[in-house]
Amino acid sequence: MTMTTTTTTKETKAQRVERLKRSRNPWDGLEEIRRFAREGFDSIPPEWLGTYFRWWGVYTQGDGLGVTGGQNGEGRALQRFMVRIRIPNGLLRSEQLRTIADLTRRYAHGIADITVRQNIQLHWVTIEQLPDLLEALGRVGLNTTSACGDVTRNVTGCPVAGVDADEICDASPLALEASRMLAGNAEFYNLPRKFKISISGCRVWCPYPEINDVGLTATTRMLHGTSEIGFSLRVAGGLSTEPYLGARLNAFLRWHQVLPAIKGIAELFRDSEVLREHRERARLKFLFLRHEWTAESFLDELQRRVGFEFDPAIEEHPPADVYRDHVGIHPQKQPGYCYVGAAVLRGRITAEQMHAAADLADRFASGELRSTNMQNLLIVNVPRLNTENLARELDEIGLPAGGSAFFRGTVACSGTEFCKLAITETKSFSRWLVEELEERLPGFDQHLKLHVTGCPNSCGQHWIADIGIDGKKMKVDGRVVDAYYFCVGGALGLHQATARPVGYRCPATAVPDAIERLLLRYLATREAGENLRRFFARHTDTELREFLAGEPVDAVTRDLPPVAVRGTGELTQLAGGDGD
């Protein structure tokens, strides 16, 4: 008698997600969401909780412990949801912000977060509340479609587009049109992974084109004696655990070529089957990092898809050490008008603050607001005579049009408070850290980007910060506590570089001490006119560890694992996340 044994190969995470995506377009599932709301949380199948909801900008919310206590790299979830509201180019009207404030008060415990892609996130939403929330947003021209999932995420742009006194052009119409072209479009519901686009007409590259899958920056050329505005194009940028700063293509895009180019790149990405084999290596950048694509081969394929050739790129002028937080009172291109930028500490904003900001925009300006990549909020088209009164009232509601370098420069991800992938708590920690540094270094007046991210996935963008810290755990006196690992010297623009992991880690409670020591050393030994980027660049990792620790210490090698970070000579860990 012959016995036959059958071996069943377990489906990988990538295979499961790809199977679920092939089986349906989640954007066709609104009636199912309404049914779940009627029948309750227990009626929701796993494929919706783990996959399909994301296409609607909805994630299950973590239990407050982050990744701890979960399995397969993800923490436990509550029967509550995070809802991400997509705000293309950060453009908001007062009635829209007022609606978000009302929904925040009604459904989200009164708090919301401005994200690093100009979105606004709510938490604590129940399935029963979700349809009403989506409908309320729709009534004021907002939605959550495409804010999460393997789709085109929120298209970002310069938050002062159209009013910036020094901009090359107002590129916001292109950003809005690109958003309409891709978000909710059934042709692009099934991409290998998230797809990020930024389009900017400003000279300081506010939306960070270097870390987007498609980064377009305005430039000007002379053609036959006539000035023409067009765009430089970078592709495949991204952070996460393996940062890659986008490759510039040898192409000058004319205004009418921008949307066909974006669509062509989205099609190229969609059709790249090799990127669907591993969830952790599915972003566009991995064509360059793993599959030997170059800027030249990418351009050839793009031109084949769009059916025409682009003109060669022209010399561009990347911004050098420009601070891009937009906080303060700034003149607009429109005579007699200004915009006023309010600092929103680590992006956390209350329903009352949003209501008040919307009212102030109506009282003192034209009712137009903007959200920024540094998690701040702007009011534009303010008559110059109103600026001081507006700034004073913003300060009274806790949204100052100024502040210390620490208050203005600190960016933070969601952390364990809401995120199932996070290792450390970030929002309350960041507020405490800012308060500590303001008390210890009251006269520190240098621009500083201090980014806090709760895990290696870099949703808090620690790779592009002057000082970037990412969350770890460590044992102190036999007890596991939150800890942070330091990277320094990140920059974009002319001096682009990912931050250097310097091999220093300490408990979260010791982070203020470490940063204080580092900045005091900078103040005491800097050269004339030397900023933090140059200071970090002229010191070795060994020296920087000593500055942080206050004494010579060895590198923490377990936090320098096996994958090389492009352009740094250092190492980082390989993983993947589902951030903004």
Side-chain angles (χ1 to χ4, degrees):
M1 181 177 176
T2 303
M3 296 187 65
T4 303
T5 48
T6 302
T7 303
T8 302
T9 303
K10 184 179 179 181
E11 189 177 44
T12 67
K13 181 178 181 180
Q15 289 169 338
R16 179 178 182 274
V17 173
E18 290 302 319
R19 173 175 56 79
L20 291 174
K21 289 192 295 183
R22 286 192 303 271
S23 69
R24 70 167 306 160
N25 176 353
W27 290 326
D28 293 334
L30 181 57
E31 285 306 315
E32 286 176 81
I33 293 175
R34 290 174 174 148
R35 177 172 62 80
F36 300 150
R38 292 192 301 271
E39 298 179 4
F41 189 90
D42 290 341
S43 69
I44 307 172
E47 59 267 25
W48 270 92
L49 289 174
T51 302
Y52 296 145
F53 266 131
R54 299 182 184 191
W55 273 245
W56 287 86
V58 175
Y59 287 103
T60 51
Q61 181 175 310
D63 64 357
L65 298 177
V67 73
T68 305
Q71 57 184 352
N72 300 321
E74 189 170 295
R76 291 189 292 260
L78 301 176
Q79 293 187 5
R80 300 291 183 113
F81 295 96
M82 178 276 284
V83 179
R84 184 178 292 153
I85 302 165
R86 188 168 54 85
I87 305 173
N89 208 114
L91 305 179
L92 276 168
R93 302 189 309 274
S94 58
E95 67 268 23
Q96 291 176 321
L97 186 61
R98 202 171 282 113
T99 294
I100 296 173
D102 288 339
L103 295 171
T104 299
R105 179 185 293 122
R106 195 178 313 151
Y107 300 136
H109 291 194
I111 60 168
D113 291 327
I114 302 173
T115 78
V116 294
R117 292 197 68 79
Q118 301 176 286
N119 297 308
I120 296 179
Q121 289 184 179
L122 309 186
H123 302 92
W124 299 108
V125 178
T126 67
I127 187 59
E128 290 81 5
Q129 297 162 343
L130 186 57
D132 289 343
L133 186 152
L134 297 177
E135 289 168 14
L137 291 172
R139 286 194 291 271
V140 292
L142 293 172
N143 65 71
T144 64
T145 305
S146 199
C148 308
D150 296 352
V151 292
T152 303
R153 299 296 182 89
N154 191 42
V155 179
T156 61
C158 175
V160 289
V163 303
D164 175 15
D166 194 40
E167 70 182 356
I168 297 171
C169 67
D170 176 4
S172 61
L174 288 173
L176 297 178
E177 188 57 39
S179 182
R180 285 190 288 266
M181 177 176 70
L182 297 173
N185 183 343
E187 290 184 40
F188 299 100
Y189 90 88
N190 181 5
L191 302 179
R193 210 67 154 86
K194 67 182 80 170
F195 185 59
K196 298 181 177 182
I197 300 169
S198 76
I199 308 173
S200 181
C202 70
R203 298 181 190 276
V204 297
W205 299 6
C206 300
Y208 307 151
E210 304 95 329
I211 61 171
N212 280 264
D213 295 287
V214 179
L216 288 152
T217 51
T219 188
T220 306
R221 71 174 179 181
M222 294 299 296
L223 184 67
H224 308 308
T226 302
S227 176
E228 180 185 12
I229 292 172
F231 292 85
S232 290
L233 172 61
R234 284 170 171 76
V235 298
L239 296 177
S240 192
T241 56
E242 195 165 358
Y244 183 83
L245 302 180
R248 188 186 182 205
L249 303 190
N250 183 22
F252 177 91
L253 274 62
R254 306 181 77 177
W255 189 279
H256 69 275
Q257 295 173 332
V258 167
L259 293 175
I262 291 172
K263 185 177 181 183
I265 297 169
E267 290 172 343
L268 188 160
F269 182 43
R270 179 195 64 198
D271 299 341
S272 297
E273 290 299 320
V274 69
L275 295 178
R276 297 180 184 271
E277 296 172 2
H278 301 279
R279 292 290 291 170
E280 295 80 9
R281 297 193 290 276
R283 292 288 302 277
L284 190 63
K285 65 184 177 181
F286 287 102
L287 292 179
F288 290 80
L289 291 171
R290 292 290 189 279
H291 302 291
E292 301 181 352
W293 283 56
T294 64
E296 293 74 23
S297 62
F298 195 103
L299 179 59
D300 288 345
E301 175 59 18
L302 175 58
Q303 291 180 145
R304 186 189 70 79
R305 285 178 174 269
V306 299
F308 57 84
E309 292 188 0
F310 301 103
D311 289 347
I314 63 171
E315 181 183 3
E316 64 176 4
H317 304 283
D321 295 328
V322 174
Y323 198 59
R324 319 179 199 193
D325 75 343
H326 301 96
V327 169
I329 299 171
H330 303 271
Q332 293 184 184
K333 64 167 61 174
Q334 295 82 7
Y337 288 85
C338 298
Y339 69 86
V340 179
V344 183
L345 179 56
R346 83 272 199 241
R348 177 61 54 84
I349 191 166
T350 67
E352 289 73 19
Q353 287 173 320
M354 287 188 283
H355 252 297
D359 291 344
L360 291 173
D362 285 336
R363 282 177 51 208
F364 289 110
S366 61
E368 296 174 77
L369 304 99
R370 311 284 174 90
S371 55
T372 84
N373 295 74
M374 286 188 68
Q375 302 179 311
N376 294 323
L377 191 66
L378 319 181
I379 296 176
V380 301
N381 297 323
V382 184
R384 190 183 305 277
L385 292 174
N386 291 346
T387 56
E388 294 297 335
N389 288 335
L390 172 57
R392 186 185 68 253
E393 294 206 27
L394 284 168
D395 186 65
E396 289 172 358
I397 62 171
L399 300 175
S404 71
F406 310 113
F407 194 102
R408 290 175 57 172
T410 297
V411 168
C413 70
S414 294
T416 55
E417 182 181 11
F418 299 121
C419 178
K420 303 189 299 294
L421 303 179
I423 298 170
T424 58
E425 193 282 322
T426 57
K427 292 292 190 183
S428 294
F429 167 78
S430 296
R431 184 180 187 89
W432 169 76
L433 175 60
V434 167
E435 291 169 351
E436 285 288 318
L437 293 174
E438 287 178 334
E439 182 177 334
R440 296 164 186 237
L441 298 164
F444 190 82
D445 61 356
Q446 300 296 305
H447 286 317
L448 170 71
K449 283 172 63 65
L450 174 56
H451 287 217
V452 182
T453 191
C455 77
N457 293 316
S458 195
C459 299
Q461 301 179 335
H462 66 283
W463 291 118
I464 61 171
D466 294 304
I467 301 174
I469 55 176
D470 76 282
K472 307 291 180 185
K473 293 290 189 187
M474 64 185 295
K475 276 193 173 182
V476 176
D477 298 328
R479 192 166 57 91
V480 177
V481 299
D482 281 4
Y484 283 94
Y485 181 81
F486 281 75
C487 301
V488 303
L492 296 175
L494 182 63
H495 306 290
Q496 67 172 41
T498 49
R500 290 157 49 197
V502 297
Y504 182 70
R505 181 201 61 209
C506 67
T509 53
V511 168
D513 296 333
I515 294 178
E516 179 186 16
R517 286 189 289 261
L518 179 66
L519 295 182
L520 286 175
R521 179 62 68 105
Y522 161 69
L523 292 172
T525 65
R526 60 182 168 174
E527 298 175 350
E530 185 176 52
N531 62 14
L532 281 165
R533 178 189 58 78
R534 296 200 297 271
F535 175 79
F536 293 146
R538 71 177 173 88
H539 287 94
T540 67
D541 292 353
T542 300
E543 291 171 330
L544 291 168
R545 281 197 304 276
E546 182 175 348
F547 299 162
L548 286 161
E551 60 184 3
V553 291
D554 293 331
V556 182
T557 54
R558 78 175 184 86
D559 283 336
L560 299 174
V563 178
V565 177
R566 177 180 180 261
T568 67
E570 300 287 349
L571 299 173
T572 190
Q573 190 176 19
L574 180 64
D578 291 302
D580 195 22

